[in-house]
Amino acid sequence: MEGRISQLPSGQRRSRMFAALADTNPANPFPQLTEREFDVLARMAAGQSNQAIAARLGISPKTVQNHVSNVLLKLGVEDRAQAVARARDANVHRPT
């Protein structure tokens, strides 16, 4: 299967790879994300800034920026607003 996927145009390859990672488990709508990335995404969806996320998680703002970049890449979105929209569409709630 992998040989056939590598022959597809890059956009289709990316779509298929993300589709292969998809999980129907509603508790984990984004299984391609690490637990920390999912936590950062949930906090982004709750409207928290990178500074607030960093303070709450006890990590540096630069580390939050790295997690946000990974989330954008893994969700295949271009910016924070699109990632937040995807999280809200998936009914992601976590921050306390």
Side-chain angles (χ1 to χ4, degrees):
M1 179 172 162
E2 186 160 326
R4 289 184 295 180
I5 289 177
S6 65
Q7 296 170 357
L8 295 171
S10 65
Q12 288 179 347
R13 273 197 312 264
R14 198 171 317 123
S15 294
R16 289 230 180 140
M17 285 189 298
F18 286 121
L21 291 171
D23 188 335
T24 57
N25 180 355
N28 186 11
F30 303 112
Q32 67 271 39
L33 301 180
T34 66
E35 185 72 20
R36 180 64 80 165
E37 290 165 349
F38 184 81
D39 197 19
V40 168
L41 175 61
R43 292 175 186 286
M44 289 166 49
Q48 294 182 10
S49 67
N50 284 3
Q51 289 283 35
I53 294 169
R56 179 70 176 137
L57 299 180
I59 58 179
S60 76
K62 175 61 175 144
T63 300
V64 174
Q65 286 178 332
N66 292 340
H67 288 311
V68 171
S69 293
N70 290 338
V71 166
L72 300 182
L73 180 66
K74 289 180 178 182
L75 294 185
V77 297
E78 294 183 18
D79 56 32
R80 187 183 188 101
Q82 289 178 347
V84 166
R86 292 270 314 268
R88 290 182 178 165
D89 288 346
N91 217 15
V92 170
H93 300 298
R94 177 181 284 181
T96 54

